Amino acid sequence: MWRPGFPLSVAALLGPLRRGPGDPTYRSEGGEVWRGIRTPAGPVTLRIAARTADADVLARAWGPGAEWALEHVPALLGADDDDTGFDADRHPLVAEAWRRRRVRFGATHRLWEALVPAILEQKVTGQEAFAGFRALVRRYGEPAPGPGGDLRLRVQPDAATIRLVPSWEWLRMHVDPARSRTLVRAAAVADSLERLTPDDADTRLRSLPGVGEWTSAEVRSRAFGDPDAVSFGDYHVAKDIGWAVTGEAFDDDQLREFLEPWRPQRNRAVLLIHGLAGGRPRHGPRMAPRTHLPAG
């Protein structure tokens, strides 16, 4: 049992860890969130439920990584997030969003767990990325311990397993060679990546072939709860923020200029604006998913 001492929405904090509908590592049922996690001590099933009447959170865990998972529940739910110095009054939209609901960032402290789906989401539609992640976890992951198995909850494959996936199996999972090569290369140095700190993670991640600014930000936001990790290069983020504050879509350079006053908490401003204003209206046809299966 943990009493956070601040308003807490378990669903809002853990929602970004869910990789689309049908994510085999994530379940949300009746106000509870279940996750299959690979910890340094081994796989674990983690169940988290907020008890509103008692203003606390109840967590249970099963498997070799249970103790590690329970020790990290406060960090996962934003206990280490520090918004000191964040000036919401720099823009009225940010100020209004901040007045309504303060954004918190949780930290999983599992960098490999965040890196795998981030690479799979590079330069493809969400539908395609989520399908590839589901296929990878179902084929090469493992059942989560304890009651997680009854929920068909699974744990992501470890780096050693990723290194052994044949090239044709990546194609069967609709993962193109560019992304599969990036994953396999990252898997070769996964142990050293898990030792990264928030201070050196961006530089080290972006030194990996195939990992750029967007992927690094996606990883740091989840693994470390980095409030400055803006996903520049995203298909929607700059356009959505520009539309919310000016009525016209921004490009990445315009977004950088707009967010600069909030450094080192730029992504806090992004989430506040997006949470209040939502995304821009979508018009026209959606991007169609591609296929990477060889013809014939």
Side-chain angles (χ1 to χ4, degrees):
M1 188 273 289
W2 176 60
R3 193 177 299 275
F6 52 82
L8 173 66
S9 168
V10 170
L13 272 165
L14 299 185
L17 303 180
R18 184 187 184 197
R19 304 295 184 157
D23 179 349
T25 70
Y26 189 103
R27 293 286 186 275
S28 180
E29 296 185 351
E32 301 177 350
V33 172
W34 294 74
R35 296 192 65 225
I37 308 168
R38 187 176 303 282
T39 77
V44 63
T45 292
L46 177 65
R47 168 188 173 269
I48 298 179
R51 302 192 298 185
T52 305
D54 297 316
D56 63 19
V57 173
L58 186 65
R60 293 190 65 186
W62 297 261
E67 183 176 353
W68 186 96
L70 292 175
E71 287 177 354
H72 286 77
V73 163
L76 184 65
L77 296 179
D80 297 336
D81 186 26
D82 184 2
D83 59 25
T84 302
F86 181 75
D87 186 1
D89 292 332
R90 288 182 177 275
H91 192 279
L93 199 61
V94 177
E96 176 62 17
W98 189 245
R99 184 186 67 80
R100 295 188 186 189
R101 181 179 68 88
R102 295 198 171 194
V103 168
R104 301 193 74 87
F105 290 87
T108 66
H109 293 284
R110 305 308 300 138
L111 191 143
W112 177 251
E113 176 187 88
L115 181 58
V116 171
I119 291 173
L120 291 175
E121 291 169 13
Q122 291 176 344
K123 300 180 181 179
V124 295
T125 65
Q127 179 184 352
E128 184 177 352
F130 298 150
F133 181 71
R134 288 196 301 269
L136 177 66
V137 175
R138 286 171 179 166
R139 293 185 190 184
Y140 293 99
E142 62 187 271
D150 297 333
L151 294 172
R152 297 185 179 179
L153 199 67
R154 296 185 69 82
V155 177
Q156 281 191 41
D158 60 16
T161 300
I162 292 289
R163 291 197 295 268
L164 297 177
V165 176
S167 59
W168 59 87
E169 288 293 336
W170 290 112
L171 292 175
R172 288 182 61 189
M173 293 184 287
H174 297 276
V175 177
D176 60 272
R179 289 180 293 153
S180 63
R181 282 195 300 266
T182 299
L183 270 173
V184 172
R185 287 167 179 163
V189 294
D191 289 344
S192 65
L193 293 178
E194 290 289 8
R195 294 192 292 269
L196 294 178
T197 68
D199 293 334
D200 60 13
D202 187 39
T203 299
R204 181 70 180 92
L205 283 168
R206 291 167 69 176
S207 72
L208 299 173
V211 174
E213 184 176 25
W214 180 89
T215 305
S216 172
E218 290 286 303
V219 171
R220 290 181 289 117
S221 175
R222 292 170 173 83
F224 300 120
D226 185 345
D228 201 51
V230 180
S231 296
F232 292 110
D234 190 90
Y235 186 76
H236 297 294
V237 171
K239 297 174 184 177
D240 286 350
I241 299 303
W243 178 84
V245 299
T246 70
E248 300 289 339
F250 279 169
D251 60 24
D252 273 353
D253 289 339
Q254 290 171 305
L255 181 62
R256 291 181 200 278
E257 182 180 358
F258 173 73
L259 292 176
E260 186 59 29
W262 285 289
R263 186 189 291 271
Q265 301 190 52
R266 293 174 295 174
N267 205 35
R268 199 182 303 278
V270 168
L271 292 193
L272 285 165
I273 293 171
H274 201 275
L276 182 64
R280 71 195 188 287
R282 303 291 197 262
H283 302 291
R286 294 186 175 187
M287 294 175 62
R290 303 170 299 162
T291 177
H292 304 293
L293 290 175

